[in-house]
Amino acid sequence: MRSDLEPAGQKKPTFIEEARRRQIVETGIQTIASQGFSQASLAEIARKAGISKGVISYHFAGKEALVDEILRSLLRQPAEFIKERVSRHDSALGKLRAYIEANFEFMKTHRDNYVALVDLWGRRGSSGGHSSFNAEAHEPARHYLAHILDAGRERGELRQIPVRTTASVVQAAIDGVMLQWVFDEEAIDLDVSRAEILEMVTRHVMPQATGELR
Amino acid sequence: MRSDLEPAGQKKPTFIEEARRRQIVETGIQTIASQGFSQASLAEIARKAGISKGVISYHFAGKEALVDEILRSLLRQPAEFIKERVSRHDSALGKLRAYIEANFEFMKTHRDNYVALVDLWGRRGSSGGHSSFNAEAHEPARHYLAHILDAGRERGELRQIPVRTTASVVQAAIDGVMLQWVFDEEAIDLDVSRAEILEMVTRHVMPQATGELR
DNA sequence: TCAAGATCTGACCGCATAGTCAAATTTTAG
DNA sequence: CTAAAATTTGACTATGCGGTCAGATCTTGA
């Protein structure tokens, strides 16, 4: 018998347990990306994974729990990649630019992740209320960016920008392009969009260039 | 008996026909916005509208057709509002700024529209393939913005920017903020975000300027 | 080796859904 | 006014879903 309710933290996540969960999550992402969430039934995911439907119920408390795990995976992967890239730089501007570049680089190699993510954006809890998952999901990114900007502003490296708002807008530009690209891959050139955002944002936060303090 | 297949165009959309369709579409939007698409069954929409479920089937070919009409409504309304606002200006910069401002103004007064829209973004056709609806939906906005920018560039009013890409990025920033706002109304101040985007975009497209206001 | 637990199977259940339809009711038009 | 057409009702069907479960199979550890 398995239980999600261990006394304190995880007790013993079996080898098989971990592997199966990973497999099911991964297959779930692929299924959502290729057929849409509405077609991603437990039966279909199980079929694609080559396992019985009961296995999913055995390893996950329910579909809700599986989708939560999928969402966590979709958010964790790019976050880790981006943080690593940002950490290679010291200056605020370098970090900011690396943040934007890493976002686009991850996009290019993980399209399915974002197609699935957009598909899950519309999700709500079973009850009527809003799922706070999405709200909490984008907050860390804003906070992380704001931290970078704030450090640069303190050091006089950047303009006196409203860091929280600027962080929000920078993330918005990235997300917005990603959305258009998910909807129509042909219509958006990620490299060109990345360069444009980099230029625009750099102009926006730099103290001099051609502009000056607000 | 009613038929969607008239010889050429609509023949005679009855009074009741039009009114009922409007009512059902509007109730559908409210239902999706308040309870999520997954809870927006035909039965629930009918209940909220105070009509029998069969009425929906009578006036719409199926749920797919209803959702298509809802999407068209969600896209048409802001588009009309924004175009009117933009048309009041003559300069490219004026039109560009009016475009951004009108987007945010419409958002503030029509939150349900955007909550519903985000909920419908993940939709696909019943078959596996991608719904081209979303792809086609954002294209007109990009085209419209690009037209404004191009005119301004030709006239020397704006920098030599890549108009299509800039249009895409400007729209992206708006959409991205809208998304964050839909997910977490408290976390986003639309007025502040609007001002920030206006400043950033103005700096980006202006030939020189040291960052002044309109 | 072998018992105990972990994992898996496939049939099954209850339920919500989209869609149908004959009959009832309302609106239209001559 | 009245008959035909348009509209509405509510019960009905078929389908697919998430979830359950008894029993089969595999893994582990002493």
Side-chain angles (χ1 to χ4, degrees), chain B residues 5 7 10 37 39 44 77 97 128 143 181-182 192-193 207 210:
Chain B
L5 308 170
Q10 68 292 4
F37 180 70
Q39 303 300 314
E44 176 62 16
Q77 287 182 249
R97 294 177 64 95
H143 187 269
W181 174 68
V182 164
V192 173
S193 297
T210 55

Side-chain angles (χ1 to χ4, degrees), chain A residues 32-33 36 107 111-122 174-190, chain B residues 71 75 114 116-125 129-142 168 171-172 175-176 178-179 183:
Chain A
I32 293 171
M107 272 189 228
R111 181 158 217 271
D112 282 353
N113 281 42
Y114 292 96
V115 174
L117 186 61
V118 171
D119 219 326
L120 292 177
W121 271 350
I174 296 170
D175 290 346
V177 168
M178 182 267 281
L179 183 69
Q180 295 177 29
W181 174 68
V182 163
F183 284 161
D184 191 348
E185 187 171 10
E186 320 289 320
I188 302 297
D189 185 320
L190 287 185
Chain B
L71 260 175
L75 296 170
Y114 292 96
L117 186 61
V118 170
D119 219 326
L120 292 177
W121 270 351
R123 225 174 44 90
R124 303 284 219 300
H130 259 101
S131 160
S132 63
F133 211 117
N134 285 322
E136 296 165 11
H138 282 259
E139 201 281 326
R142 284 198 298 266
S168 174
Q171 186 64 54
D175 290 345
M178 182 267 280
L179 183 69
F183 284 162

Side-chain angles (χ1 to χ4, degrees), chain B residues 178-193:
Chain B
M178 182 267 280
L179 183 69
Q180 296 176 29
W181 174 68
V182 164
F183 284 162
D184 191 349
E185 187 172 10
E186 319 290 320
I188 303 297
D189 185 320
L190 286 184
D191 291 323
V192 173
S193 297

Side-chain angles (χ1 to χ4, degrees), chain A residues 1-42:
Chain A
M1 197 75 79
R2 229 194 113 270
S3 172
D4 276 328
L5 308 171
E6 298 297 353
Q10 69 290 7
K11 201 186 261 179
K12 41 175 184 178
T14 312
F15 202 54
I16 292 178
E17 175 80 12
E18 258 187 283
R20 270 274 186 260
R21 285 178 71 99
R22 259 201 307 273
Q23 178 203 20
I24 293 170
V25 165
E26 191 53 37
T27 308
I29 292 172
Q30 298 305 321
T31 306
I32 293 171
S34 65
Q35 300 170 250
F37 180 70
S38 64
Q39 304 300 314
S41 64
L42 295 185

Side-chain angles (χ1 to χ4, degrees), chain A residues 41-42 53 57 62-63:
Chain A
S41 64
L42 295 185
K53 193 177 55 159
S57 293
K63 192 175 190 184

Side-chain angles (χ1 to χ4, degrees), chain A residues 121-135, chain B residues 32-36 111-112 115-116 118-119 181-185:
Chain A
W121 271 350
R123 224 175 44 91
R124 302 285 221 299
S126 306
S127 58
H130 259 100
S131 161
S132 63
F133 211 116
N134 286 321
Chain B
I32 293 171
S34 65
Q35 300 170 249
R111 182 156 217 271
D112 283 354
V115 174
V118 170
D119 219 326
W181 174 68
V182 164
F183 284 162
D184 191 349
E185 187 172 10

